[in-house]
Amino acid sequence: MKRNLKNWLVIAALACGMTTTSGQVQAAGWIGDLLGETCCDDACCDTGSCCQESCCDSGCCDGGCDSLAGCNVAEAASSCLPKLNSFARKLDGMGFIQKSDHCFDDFISPMIDFVHFEDPRNLTELRPIFVHHNFPNTLGPANIPAGGSAQLIAMQFRIALTDRLSLIAVKDGYLIDNSEGQLDGLLDSGWADVTAGLKYNLIRNVKTGTLLSAGFTYEIPMGSERALQAVSDGEFHFFATGGQRLFDGQAHVLSSFGWQLPVDQSDQSTTVHWNNHFDVKLTDTVYLFTENSWWHWASDAFDGAALGVSGQDLLNLGASNVDGNNLVTHNVGMKYKPHGGLELGAAYEFPLTDFEDIIEDRWQFEAILRY
């Protein structure tokens, strides 16, 4: 009787992912999995259309045919992105990187405030981004003449170093200035600063579809001064980000909170921000989503100019009279995700508050190539 009970306990542990063999995703680890259960559910397990019905593959996902698109994630990524996938496999084989966590392939990444709103999943990916940003006709309480636009061409990347820890690079690229008014005299085209850091996955519950991660980044002041980059000694960003699967993977919510802290507070302002995302699946591959972003300026740049605006996520203008400002923006968008290795998105963003900082509205387009 005791032997049978022991055997059943071993089988249950294996089924729930509490033990792991080579190539499997470790579901248990650290005290971060506070919600306990780690068994997989229908949003993660394979379906009978491709593999054995109700059979969870390695780590509940990417060893077989995922229900997201009815095909193997690794094979789909390999067929669509052969050179990139081949390069990633070589790095994986040398132990430099890990595959993305494909047990949450029914999720999509957020788009609003793309520098600070971090996806809670552990991912290995390249993410090219194009932003068309329109400036208000006037800036701040002094109604400084402005207008025009700026375009940003950027490339983010994330590298899963272990099954929990990842390296993230969230800001870089080239800023193209088409601003008008007095803003045109301040801003010119040039390279953006580079921002990189680490993210650690604290909670990963595959059965409930719950995620929580935390991390930090540092903005390296190495961009073009004419593009209002390379300000002072850079700044840190400390954040927590989480996600929850809803309605068996037909909808999802994501939320993040962050604190942006300059190294030298006399030259740059300090902000806190809260971002939220909600999406629904129209089909197996098409998502509609809406997001909002709240920015609060906690302190001025002591030695800054009295502009009344700070620069949102593109710039940090170092203004001296932004303390207490609040900006809320909202976006609507759509994503196409044929499989776990590719994600294409478009979004339109606009302010909800009377205070606009430097945003009239914004279009954003991106592609995510995920290993």
Side-chain angles (χ1 to χ4, degrees), residues 227-241:
L228 301 179
Q229 306 291 298
V231 178
S232 190
D233 298 320
E235 58 188 16
F236 286 94
H237 174 231
F238 303 94
F239 66 88
T241 178

Side-chain angles (χ1 to χ4, degrees), residues 34-266:
L34 301 176
L35 300 182
E37 297 175 301
T38 52
C39 293
C40 52
D41 62 10
D42 292 339
C44 183
C45 294
D46 297 330
T47 62
S49 61
C50 194
C51 303
Q52 182 179 353
E53 188 172 1
S54 301
C55 174
C56 298
D57 38 46
S58 174
C60 295
C61 277
D62 81 338
C65 305
D66 296 319
S67 59
L68 175 68
C71 62
N72 181 282
V73 170
E75 291 180 0
S78 178
S79 62
C80 295
L81 309 165
K83 293 183 179 180
L84 180 63
N85 194 70
S86 175
F87 178 68
R89 285 179 184 273
K90 290 179 181 179
L91 294 178
D92 190 358
M94 292 186 286
F96 293 148
I97 66 173
Q98 302 283 330
K99 284 186 178 181
S100 297
D101 186 354
H102 287 291
C103 285
F104 295 87
D105 272 345
D106 52 302
F107 283 70
I108 57 173
S109 294
M111 291 185 65
I112 202 169
D113 191 8
F114 58 91
V115 175
H116 303 108
F117 196 174
E118 184 64 24
D119 192 311
R121 295 173 293 174
N122 203 33
L123 302 169
T124 296
E125 66 183 23
L126 291 176
R127 184 184 184 185
I129 299 172
F130 174 78
V131 175
H132 177 84
H133 181 104
N134 291 312
F135 297 110
N137 291 329
T138 59
L139 299 178
N143 293 320
I144 301 170
S149 65
Q151 291 75 41
L152 176 68
I153 303 170
M155 175 72 77
Q156 293 184 342
F157 72 81
R158 292 164 180 83
I159 297 175
L161 302 174
T162 70
D163 59 354
R164 296 276 181 167
L165 180 68
S166 57
L167 172 67
I168 59 176
V170 296
K171 181 181 178 181
D172 60 14
Y174 192 80
L175 183 71
I176 303 170
D177 172 43
N178 289 295
S179 61
E180 299 173 357
Q182 292 187 25
L183 186 60
D184 186 33
L186 293 173
L187 179 64
D188 202 353
S189 301
W191 293 101
D193 287 338
V194 173
T195 300
L198 295 171
K199 176 179 65 178
Y200 190 82
N201 182 212
L202 300 171
I203 295 177
R204 177 187 175 278
N205 191 311
V206 181
K207 182 175 182 180
T208 63
T210 306
L211 290 160
L212 178 65
S213 297
F216 75 93
T217 60
Y218 172 64
E219 183 169 320
I220 308 169
M222 59 184 297
S224 305
E225 291 186 5
R226 65 179 184 270
L228 301 179
Q229 306 291 298
V231 178
S232 190
D233 298 320
E235 58 188 16
F236 286 94
H237 174 231
F238 303 94
F239 66 88
T241 178
Q244 179 62 55
R245 177 184 294 137
L246 303 173
F247 306 115
D248 199 24
Q250 296 305 304
H252 309 81
V253 292
L254 302 171
S255 187
S256 77
F257 184 84
W259 179 36
Q260 195 173 2
L261 181 66
V263 175
D264 189 343
Q265 296 183 41
S266 64

